Amino acid sequence: MEKQLTGTLALAVFTAALGSLQMGYSLGVINAPQKVIERHYARSLGVYNEELARSEGGNTTEHEEPTDASVVMYWSLSVAIFSIGGMVSSFLVSFVSDIRGRIKGMLFINVLAITAGLLMGLAKMGTPYLMVIAGRAIMGLYCGLSSGLVPLYIGEISPVKYRGAMGALHQLAIVIGILISQVIGLDFLLGNDDMWHVLLGLSGAPAILQSLLLLVCPESPRYLYIKLGKVEEACKSLKRLKGDYDTSKDIAEMQAEKEEAMNEAQMSILRLLRSSVYRQQLFVALMMHLSQQFSGINAIFYYSTSIFQTAGVGQPVYATIGMGVINIIFTLVSVVLVDRAGRRTLTVVGLGGMCCCAVAMTVGMAFQDVYTWMSYLSMAAIFLFVSFFEIGPGPIPWFIVAEIFSQGPRPAAIALAGFCNWTCNFIVGMFFPYLEGLCGSYVFVIFAVLLFGFTVFTYLRVPETKGKTFEEIAAVFHRKRGAPPSKPQEEAEMVQLKSSTEA
């Protein structure tokens, strides 16, 4: 009898999610010690005024801000290079996952994470700005690959009944990583002059643990059976993941997917972009990732400290950590609800709720100088905004791409979606400060309009994938496209794709 949930499955999902934890830590770690790192950059560049610092009370003064253009440039590069690394490496997800396999792929990319951690951890011994920038670039390369490999592996090994909950663990691990970086980045822990390099160096620590655990994790049965044709190994992997049971049903499902994969051929990114067969799936996948990044969630984290200060919070950093806790709580809510309420329902509720919160935030910030209580409305809107994000729009885009594509185009689709996500992340990070300067307190009107559009799109165009096999989900898109009338054209395109691959 199939047990569905086993210790080996739990270990495999936990091990994969360590890559997501590392990504979250790397996303959040650079913010807390900004002023400390800028001082070290200034010293290294020879533009730091030691006498002025001593007269203002030493290195810990909060008022000292290195304003030298070179310091600002190198700091901006330290932040931005991470997203650029993710954008570049996301295109390699398909190559790494198919050539090396899911397990070996994750093992291979851990070399990048450990190298990045060492570079940043040893930054005080060399030239800080060069070593931190190099470390952040390499860590970005790692995270771009990890953000594709982790959801791919978890999606392929998860039982249909729990696939949504396990897929949401990727986002849960990310927000836990962000919170850990915020907590240990406090100035009395590691976010200070003496320990900042250790704080950054710890970015590579989860990779060491993950590398050890990956050695005992089973390879994806779908990869073994569909990609490599190793039936016995796929059966062994299924039994390790789900217990000692009759694997014939799962093998039959994979066989059906393999036959379709043989017809559709292996998809490169370029072929996927050109193919009309998968246009609807690709459009949905990219829009889901656009809705995640253009929802304004990163802007919220940018704006939160000033709003908390206006509301009279003595230590805004603790309020920001409180937001991190809410992140985790509501991602856990998503883990519980995603296989009950469904992906589409949670995404629509999440995006709609965020739209209302963006309007409330705009009103609160516009009138907080007139009515003091309006700042509390802004605070409440921020916390609710984050809550709605983690219920659906945060976790679901990461794993729904693996659900709506079959084995052939799946790695290429995940690579494209990852590139879209990282690019949008970079755009928001680069241009939000300019938007905020231009629009002031009304900047969230832009996000409210975008969120309304994303909500309508999700309601009208995104199908429910809860409890469906990969084949059943593909059939939904075939029906939406009007498959029966266009079948000959589709088959002709498949044959053309396959012959060009063989050639």
Side-chain angles (χ1 to χ4, degrees):
M1 183 180 175
E2 183 181 355
K3 293 180 183 176
Q4 296 277 357
L5 294 176
T6 63
T8 304
L9 178 61
L11 175 67
V13 172
F14 169 80
T15 302
L18 283 173
S20 311
L21 180 99
Q22 190 160 269
M23 179 177 162
Y25 185 94
S26 299
L27 281 167
V29 74
I30 200 72
N31 298 318
Q34 176 178 349
K35 297 303 174 192
V36 174
I37 296 173
E38 282 181 339
R39 281 197 290 273
H40 282 272
Y41 282 11
R43 287 193 189 102
S44 180
L45 290 162
V47 296
Y48 184 71
N49 193 328
E50 297 281 358
E51 289 184 12
L52 178 62
R54 279 195 294 272
S55 69
E56 291 183 352
N59 292 340
T60 58
T61 178
E62 293 177 3
H63 304 290
E64 178 216 340
E65 292 189 17
T67 53
D68 189 88
S70 59
V71 174
V72 174
M73 183 190 73
Y74 284 119
W75 170 255
S76 300
L77 194 55
S78 301
V79 177
I81 200 77
F82 179 76
S83 294
I84 294 171
M87 287 161 57
V88 171
S89 66
S90 57
F91 274 124
L92 300 174
V93 170
S94 176
F95 173 78
V96 173
S97 63
D98 278 348
I99 300 298
R100 304 295 298 168
R102 290 25 168 174
I103 293 290
K104 287 180 181 176
M106 285 188 281
L107 264 172
F108 171 73
I109 65 172
N110 277 341
V111 174
L112 295 173
I114 295 168
T115 303
L118 285 171
L119 276 170
M120 292 185 284
L122 299 172
K124 282 179 80 172
M125 297 171 65
T127 308
Y129 61 93
L130 291 180
M131 293 181 75
V132 170
I133 290 169
R136 291 281 294 172
I138 295 170
M139 188 60 78
L141 291 172
Y142 165 82
C143 289
L145 289 163
S146 180
S147 64
L149 282 171
V150 171
L152 178 64
Y153 177 69
I154 291 177
E156 289 186 348
I157 66 171
S158 301
V160 172
K161 187 178 177 183
Y162 303 106
R163 197 172 60 221
M166 290 183 174
L169 292 175
H170 170 67
Q171 179 71 10
L172 177 63
I174 288 174
V175 297
I176 290 173
I178 292 172
L179 180 63
I180 290 171
S181 72
Q182 288 172 338
V183 172
I184 66 174
L186 293 169
D187 57 0
F188 62 85
L189 291 174
L190 298 182
N192 52 55
D193 249 359
D194 297 324
M195 302 297 287
W196 66 270
H197 60 295
V198 177
L199 178 69
L200 295 185
L202 285 174
S203 299
I208 299 170
L209 175 60
Q210 189 190 48
S211 296
L212 294 172
L213 294 177
L214 281 171
L215 298 174
V216 296
C217 290
E219 181 55 271
S220 160
R222 306 190 89 82
Y223 173 76
L224 291 170
Y225 187 90
I226 299 172
K227 182 70 181 173
L228 303 183
K230 296 181 177 179
V231 182
E232 286 186 21
E233 287 188 32
C235 289
K236 285 178 185 176
S237 183
L238 281 168
K239 287 182 178 180
R240 284 187 65 193
L241 289 165
K242 295 185 179 182
D244 193 9
Y245 77 111
D246 182 5
T247 60
S248 56
K249 184 181 175 183
D250 282 334
I251 292 293
E253 190 220 321
M254 286 191 282
Q255 177 60 30
E257 189 175 342
K258 183 177 182 178
E259 287 171 3
E260 183 168 332
M262 288 172 70
N263 289 331
E264 65 195 6
Q266 186 62 42
M267 278 279 183
S268 68
I269 290 171
L270 216 56
R271 286 198 185 94
L272 180 58
L273 284 169
R274 290 172 177 170
S275 172
S276 62
V277 176
Y278 301 105
R279 197 158 289 159
Q280 282 197 44
Q281 286 103 311
L282 187 60
F283 186 49
V284 166
L286 295 182
M287 283 296 286
M288 291 288 281
H289 278 272
L290 282 170
S291 70
Q292 186 195 71
Q293 289 299 323
F294 286 155
S295 65
I297 190 67
N298 291 329
I300 285 293
F301 285 111
Y302 174 87
Y303 228 109
S304 61
T305 302
S306 63
I307 296 171
F308 291 140
Q309 282 174 335
T310 306
V313 177
Q315 294 287 341
V317 66
Y318 293 111
T320 303
I321 288 173
M323 284 175 59
V325 173
I326 286 177
N327 255 339
I328 292 173
I329 291 169
F330 280 90
T331 307
L332 281 169
V333 170
S334 178
V335 169
V336 173
L337 291 180
V338 71
D339 283 315
R340 298 178 185 179
R343 286 73 153 144
R344 179 172 170 272
T345 303
L346 288 183
T347 305
V348 169
V349 169
L351 290 170
M354 289 170 79
C355 180
C356 296
C357 290
V359 172
M361 238 180 301
T362 302
V363 173
M365 287 189 293
F367 293 100
Q368 64 186 6
D369 292 334
V370 181
Y371 306 103
T372 54
W373 58 269
M374 280 289 185
S375 60
Y376 295 101
L377 173 66
S378 299
M379 277 181 64
I382 282 181
F383 284 117
L384 285 171
F385 191 96
V386 171
S387 305
F388 279 117
F389 176 77
E390 296 301 352
I391 282 175
I396 289 170
W398 287 114
F399 66 84
I400 200 168
V401 181
E403 289 187 328
I404 63 177
F405 283 93
S406 53
Q407 189 75 14
R410 188 179 295 141
I414 286 175
L416 270 175
F419 176 76
C420 174
N421 193 287
W422 282 98
T423 304
C424 294
N425 187 317
F426 177 72
I427 290 169
V428 172
M430 282 294 292
F431 295 106
F432 176 75
Y434 299 104
L435 267 180
E436 189 268 324
L438 191 67
C439 305
S441 58
Y442 295 97
V443 68
F444 284 100
V445 172
I446 298 169
F447 293 115
V449 171
L450 286 170
L451 283 162
F452 180 77
F454 290 136
T455 305
V456 173
F457 173 84
T458 304
Y459 181 78
L460 295 176
R461 299 293 299 272
V462 178
E464 182 53 71
T465 59
K466 178 187 72 171
K468 292 184 173 74
T469 65
F470 292 117
E471 291 304 303
E472 289 168 343
I473 294 165
V476 171
F477 282 100
H478 282 305
R479 286 197 298 273
K480 283 194 171 194
R481 194 170 61 244
S486 59
K487 198 74 176 173
Q489 179 188 350
E490 180 179 317
E491 286 175 357
E493 185 171 345
M494 289 295 192
V495 170
Q496 187 180 0
L497 285 167
K498 191 178 180 185
S499 61
S500 64
T501 303
E502 287 169 352

